[in-house]
Amino acid sequence: MTKELELQKELGKIDVNEKLSACPIDFSKSRVANPRAGQKQKNYQNEVASSNFNERKKFEDYQSPQFNQLFSDGSLPVETNRYRLIWSKHCPWATRIAIAIDLLGLDKVISKGAVDPLRPAGVIGDWFFTLNEDDEDPILHTKSLSESYLKADPEYKLRTTVPALVDVKTGKVVNNDYNTLIDELATAWKKYQNKNAPDLYPENIRTDIDTLNKIIYTDINAAVNEAGLARSQADYEKYYNRVFDRLDWLEERLSQQRYLFGSAISDTDIRLFATLSRFDIVFYQKYYVNKKRLVDYPNLWNYSKDLYAIPAFRNNTDFDAIRKRFYQVDHTPQNDLTRIIPKGPDLSIWEEPNDRQKFEK
């Protein structure tokens, strides 16, 4: 069986659902991740918003990306220093775009700005530039990401999400679709890429890349979130099994080649890495996806370390931000509901050598 047919066969085994949860921070109704599910809590209010953790509405339904202007169809001009990626370093979906920008060498023509992974107590639908001097983004001169969303749509009332590509000239969000941005940067921005940059979306295997992206999105990227959000034992076990069945399959695939499509890094490697790098520190512990750790898969673990050794991956993987966001965030004041932040696992093992170079011999 050819590799293309094998991928199509694997895709046929699953029900690809684009409306799986991309943002699992709301655990208010999850019996798996929120032991306070069903309990009434205090209302908290500040100058911006009020919130009751178990009665919030904004997170109940899937929220698709609201802005998806493209470079490839001419909707957006390809211009240097015209765009700024706003991201949070905890977020796997946003991290993918940050990695791609640096890996392609586009960091010289597209700037990046990070929001604080932690929000003020009570604020549930916005991101703030409180990591910066004067709590302001130095390029956009805004205090919060919602300002760019409202410039794009004055009637916008949904959550502001990361990643968000902002037009510096207008201050408007032009694309917040984490599913399209990597391929847009890989194809439409070629003239600004480093001469040694990998082709993340080669034309001759795009069908295969799209197929494997759907498989990984459904069984890995989103399935870990769905396990954490589960409201029943059966629902939790369904996604738990999907994750580990797929990890076993990927472990075998990576026993034969350095990256998911051979000897060159592709879009799909970035998408998988963003989840794998958070697996032991977050998903294994907090989401109860705990049959095996990443380090228990020899090929997946060495593959992850191999990617992490590349500056674009390493420099955009902030374990401290990841730990803070996934364990400390609760939208309630820390002094009212104290949280314990796990010390482990030992992250120094990411610095250890990997064995992936054996495929280059």
Side-chain angles (χ1 to χ4, degrees), residues 132-176:
N132 301 332
E133 185 177 354
D134 298 325
D135 298 341
E136 179 180 285
D137 182 85
I139 303 297
L140 301 175
H141 301 294
T142 53
K143 300 285 188 180
S144 70
L145 182 54
S146 64
E147 295 177 50
S148 294
Y149 273 80
L150 290 171
K151 286 180 181 179
D153 178 6
E155 302 301 317
Y156 190 82
K157 299 184 185 304
L158 300 173
R159 287 180 293 125
T160 61
T161 62
V162 289
L165 192 68
V166 179
D167 184 333
V168 174
K169 283 187 178 181
T170 64
K172 298 178 180 180
V173 173
V174 292
N175 191 306
N176 70 335

Side-chain angles (χ1 to χ4, degrees), residues 91 138 231 302:
C91 176
R231 299 176 189 177
N302 279 286

